[in-house]
Amino acid sequence: MDYLGVGVIRPTRTKPDHPAPLGIDGFAAFVARSPLPCVAIGGVDLEDAAALREAGASGIAVVSALCAAEDPRAAAAAFRRHWFARAVPHVLSIAGSDPSGGAGIQADLKAIAANGGYGMAALTALTAQNTQGVRAVHVPPAEFLRAQLDAVADDIRIDAVKIGMLADGEVIRTVAAWLRTTQPPIVVLDPVMIATSGDRLLDPDAERELRGLLSLATVVTPNLAELAVLAGARWRAGRTRSPRRRSCRPIRGPRCW
């Protein structure tokens, strides 16, 4: 036995013969004496979620509050937000490595820690680089990337995913398949497509795959050149009449500035 269901927490119509409700305090007292991790069940409402976690619950089982909701998916998301309201967020970075520490996985982990999160990482590529430039890039097999992702997801809660450098189409397809399977609640996609020099970093096949990844992201953070490519515009870098403006000439659709 891995977990013990403990309840009821509140009166509930789905269990008419239930014993006297425990309430939050009664549940906490039970948890303190239990040799097994406890899941709270029975009449659990949205406002109970965070309080039950603070009381020692390993989880909550919710039926009526979801089944009776007008939008069960939105209700489930609200329960998740309340459950993790005060927990340290677990953030997985999927990106390349920068041994100089200025970008990639290393920079992501610093940013996650600086903002109070617990950082995790899955490497898409290894680079030999410093502050002067990139000297070499090694892309491990996509199967190994999937093994990294599955290993983390099988063991640790993932509250958000941040995606950076995805070296080629096979890597992008691997990440997309994992996202569809795992469905993390928040996905931030930084489409690393164009270098500061203006050089394209992905081949046409990879760019097409990356566009398909957009629908799986919560937030997309391209730079202006990458936005132009994603929007189907031809990017023309450099100064125009205004020294502060960069323009992109559209292939089709509205003009992009």
Side-chain angles (χ1 to χ4, degrees), residues 192-202 223 225-226 235 237 246:
V192 181
M193 303 170 65
I194 300 179
T196 305
S197 62
D199 295 329
R200 301 285 272 265
L201 302 176
L202 298 178
N223 61 32
E226 291 158 348
W235 171 249
R246 285 185 171 184

Side-chain angles (χ1 to χ4, degrees), residues 53-77:
R53 184 174 55 78
E54 294 295 329
S58 296
I60 53 177
V62 182
V63 179
S64 297
L66 296 183
C67 294
E70 183 175 343
D71 186 343
R73 184 182 295 271

Side-chain angles (χ1 to χ4, degrees), residues 34-104:
S34 175
L36 294 173
C38 298
V39 174
I41 187 171
V44 176
D45 202 354
L46 184 62
E47 300 306 319
D48 295 324
L52 285 167
R53 184 174 55 78
E54 294 295 329
S58 296
I60 53 177
V62 182
V63 179
S64 297
L66 296 183
C67 294
E70 183 175 343
D71 186 343
R73 184 182 295 271
F79 268 96
R80 183 182 177 87
R81 286 194 301 272
H82 278 65
W83 175 254
F84 293 123
R86 298 177 188 174
V88 173
H90 293 179
V91 183
L92 172 63
S93 173
I94 306 173
S97 171
D98 175 5
S100 69

